[in-house]
Each structure stands twice: as structure tokens, then as C-alpha cells.
Amino acid sequence: MLNYKIIVLFILFGFSGAINAQIGIAHEIGVVFGPVMFKSDYGARNDLGTNINNNGFGIGLVHYLNFSYNTNNETFFSEHFKVRSDISYNKSEFKHYGEYVEKNSNSTGVQQLRAMRGSSGIFNLGTQLEYSPIKIHDFEKTIGSFGPYASIGAQLSYYSAKANSTLGELGIPSITFPKYLTPSDGHPFGFSNESKAVFSIISSIGTRYKLSPLQDLIIDFRFQYFNSDWVDGLNPNPAIYKENKANDWLVWVNLGYIYYL
């Protein structure tokens, strides 16, 4: 519990030393939205159908601290860095895709995999340090210009995962594929219906487009890696099923609108 309190304090008050050192700070607010590609334990590894179809949608509110507001105190930090905080929510739906469910077979195992369904809704609260390779003032002065950026940060994420089957209740051998009946990571099965807080690391790359002196449009590609493999509701025992190699992660393509206060 203490670890999560520390994470929340980092999220809410991170970079406070840099913030308090500034005399003039501008604020920007905005909204972002777009599709989410969730790399989960559903489907075959490296299968195009799995990667395309196990997706979702997200929306978020963002806030920026802009240190270039004070034109009389230009520094490398103030002209190339911003602090971005955001609250977001995304939800993805899952099924098994790939060779194991697409083959022409009426075997019990294939039918069990075809019948499995899942979902995960994730609430995120976090902050990122954003770097712009061009001077922020140069971008702000030029209508129609592009302002590329990259960022890295951390988030506290709270997920609610569901795993079920159209055949009936998961956990019953006649309904559940054997891989998911094996105990895993302290759970009685390789699936779980649970809600839990986890830590995640995020990294983004994108660009702004200067729409007007006080308005920007953005497109942003965000990578989010969780410190858990239960976020999608599946985690077949990795000691037995070696293909289960990594924690859950996702890519979120954001489109957004930013307004300068």
C-alpha cells in the first residue's frame, strides 16, 4: 500500500523542484482520444489478426505546464521541455485469433478457445516530461507550423478485467481450455476477473500543429507497459507456458485538441 502512496505523490507532485524554480508558467489544457491496440495473452503470438482485432478506444484530459511563458528568462529547459499530466480511460475487448482457432476443427479445445471472451477497462493517472527538439517559442509564433516531441513518464493505472466464455462458466474443465485451468502467479487459474491498481511506464512520440495563437492540434503515439500480466485477465502459468513471455502492454494513437489558458 505504501508503494502506491509513493507513486501517487510522484504523479501529483513530480518535478516540483523544476516547477517552483520558474517565475512564469503558462497552462494548457486539452482532450485526446483514439484507438488502442492491446498486446494481450489472447490469440496467437505475432498474428496480424490478433494485433488488429484485440483493440479498444480511449479518451483523456491533459494539462501542460509551459515554462517558456517568461520570455525574459529563456533557458534550455524552458524552451525545450514541458510537464504533461493526464487522466485517461480506455477499454479493450478480446478474443482468440490465429491458427489455433481458425483451423477447420470441431475439437473440444478449438471450440473452447473460440468461445472465450475478455475485456479490460483501465483508468490512468500520470505525468510525463515532454521534450521538444525545436524551441517552443519558435513553434508558438508560427501559425501552421509543426512541433514534434517525445516524452517519458509514469502512471498509476487501475484496471478491471473480465474473462468469460459463451459456453458457460470458466473454470469448469469441459468449458475451459486446459492451459487456463493451471494455477498461475497466486491465482487458482490462468484467468482472473479482478480489479486492481498497477504501475505502468509510458513513452510517447508525436507532433503538434499550430492552429492559432492559442490552439494546437496533436497526434500522439503512446506506448504503455504495465508491471503486471493480469491487466487483460489472462496469465497462463509462465513457468509452464514459455510463450507467455512479457507483461501486458498497449499502444494508443491519440488525436487531440490543446488550448492555451
Side-chain angles (χ1 to χ4, degrees), residues 12-221:
L12 295 179
F13 303 108
F15 309 109
S16 60
I19 293 172
N20 294 331
Q22 305 301 315
I23 298 175
I25 300 175
H27 297 269
E28 308 165 18
I29 59 172
V31 59
V32 295
F33 58 92
V36 172
M37 186 195 77
F38 201 116
K39 186 65 174 178
S40 72
D41 293 311
Y42 283 85
R45 287 181 60 86
N46 304 316
D47 178 75
L48 181 61
T50 295
N51 295 333
I52 293 176
N53 292 302
N54 281 334
N55 55 37
F57 191 82
I59 188 168
L61 299 176
V62 296
H63 172 265
Y64 291 86
L65 293 177
N66 184 337
F67 306 103
S68 69
Y69 178 79
N70 188 342
T71 58
N72 297 320
N73 188 32
E74 291 188 6
T75 65
F76 182 83
F77 180 85
S78 66
E79 283 299 316
H80 292 277
F81 288 94
K82 294 181 181 180
V83 173
R84 168 177 170 170
S85 301
D86 58 313
I87 299 174
S88 64
Y89 177 81
N90 61 73
K91 186 172 184 179
S92 299
E93 303 286 340
F94 310 118
K95 287 176 60 178
H96 288 290
Y97 296 92
E99 59 179 308
Y100 302 108
V101 296
E102 293 171 357
K103 58 185 177 181
N104 187 18
S105 173
N106 290 318
S107 68
T108 300
V110 171
Q111 295 304 313
Q112 289 171 338
L113 288 174
R114 287 175 180 170
M116 284 189 71
R117 302 288 188 273
S119 67
S120 184
I122 309 170
F123 177 83
N124 305 285
L125 171 66
T127 188
Q128 300 179 65
L129 183 63
E130 185 174 291
Y131 169 73
S132 171
I134 66 174
K135 292 183 67 173
I136 293 174
H137 267 126
D138 290 344
F139 167 73
E140 293 174 341
K141 294 175 182 177
T142 309
I143 305 300
S145 63
F146 289 90
Y149 61 84
S151 65
I152 190 168
Q155 290 195 333
L156 181 63
S157 301
Y158 186 83
Y159 70 88
S160 181
K162 305 293 182 183
N164 52 69
S165 172
T166 60
L167 297 176
E169 183 180 352
L170 285 178
I172 299 173
S174 62
I175 291 173
T176 312
F177 191 74
K179 179 178 182 179
Y180 304 108
L181 289 172
T182 306
S184 176
D185 190 30
H187 293 66
F189 302 110
F191 67 89
S192 178
N193 293 294
E194 64 181 12
S195 298
K196 193 174 181 180
V198 294
F199 181 67
S200 61
I201 294 182
I202 54 175
S203 180
S204 300
I205 185 170
T207 187
R208 293 192 180 207
Y209 174 78
K210 177 55 65 176
L211 196 62
S212 75
L214 297 178
Q215 300 179 89
D216 294 343
L217 299 178
I218 65 170
I219 181 169
D220 181 281
F221 296 86

